[in-house]
């Protein structure tokens, strides 16, 4: 019975120690969380602005998306630095940055491809109208 109690106490103590060392973004102080959300907002704004500007200058949608992603990468670096400096578990830091990057890339490519498809459709319609007016 003593061995069982000692084992249970050791297991409880080691679990408590492990739980205390595992810090998530939700465990950060409120000011640090506010800063984290600010960085995420800046990243999203950067992605949106990059998308808006790339539509007018790029010919290749993939290259345009890559350029936007690279131009906004510094925000993800800032996020990782901020989370790490607040003691957040490194696997969570990397996972959060990867998740944000993947989500942004999907959204950016979807918007970019939709815009290029709309431009192609508009050009095709303009050609049809031009042909119809020439035939009349």
């Amino acid at each position: 019975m003593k061995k069982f109690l000692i084992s249970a106490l050791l297991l409880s103590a080691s679990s408590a120690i492990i739980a205390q060392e595992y810090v998530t973004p939700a465990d950060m102080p409120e000011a640090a969380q506010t800063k984290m959300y600010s960085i995420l907002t800046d990243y999203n704004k950067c992605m949106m602005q990059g998308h808006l500007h790339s539509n007018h200058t790029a010919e290749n949608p993939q290259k345009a998306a890559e350029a936007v992603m690279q131009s906004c990468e510094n925000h993800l670096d800032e996020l990782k630095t901020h989370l790490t400096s607040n003691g957040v578990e490194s696997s969570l830091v990397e996972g959060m940055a990867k998740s944000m990057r993947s989500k942004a890339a999907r959204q950016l490519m979807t918007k970019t491809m939709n815009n290029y498809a709309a431009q192609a459709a508009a050009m095709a319609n303009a050609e049809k109208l031009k042909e119809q007016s020439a035939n009349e």
Side-chain angles (χ1 to χ4, degrees):
M1 183 69 169
K2 281 185 179 181
K3 287 182 183 181
F4 177 75
L5 287 175
I6 292 173
S7 296
L9 287 172
L10 288 174
L11 182 61
S12 297
S14 64
S15 296
I17 290 170
I18 290 171
Q20 289 174 348
E21 293 177 11
Y22 194 79
V23 177
T24 69
D27 298 326
M28 294 188 311
E30 187 175 337
Q33 288 183 25
T34 301
K35 174 70 175 171
M36 176 187 71
Y37 292 129
S38 173
I39 294 168
L40 293 173
T41 300
D42 291 344
Y43 177 69
N44 290 329
K45 284 180 185 177
C46 179
M47 293 297 295
M48 179 60 73
Q49 289 298 319
H51 168 68
L52 293 175
H53 294 303
S54 71
N55 284 340
H56 304 293
T57 60
E59 294 178 18
N60 182 337
Q62 185 175 359
K63 286 184 180 179
E66 287 174 8
V68 172
M69 295 294 294
Q70 287 178 344
S71 71
C72 298
E73 188 69 22
N74 62 324
H75 294 287
L76 291 179
D77 292 339
E78 182 182 1
L79 175 67
K80 291 192 303 190
T81 300
H82 177 69
L83 293 173
T84 300
S85 69
N86 280 284
V88 174
E89 177 68 29
S90 62
S91 62
L92 293 176
V93 172
E94 289 302 320
M96 188 171 186
K98 183 178 178 182
S99 175
M100 290 297 299
R101 186 180 298 109
S102 295
K103 179 181 175 187
R106 282 190 309 275
Q107 289 176 343
L108 180 62
M109 283 307 294
T110 298
K111 289 176 185 176
T112 301
M113 296 310 290
N114 286 341
N115 284 345
Y116 276 87
Q119 289 174 6
M123 288 176 60
N125 285 338
E127 287 296 321
K128 284 181 186 177
L129 288 175
K130 186 177 177 182
E131 287 175 11
Q132 286 175 353
S133 64
N135 291 335
E136 292 177 355

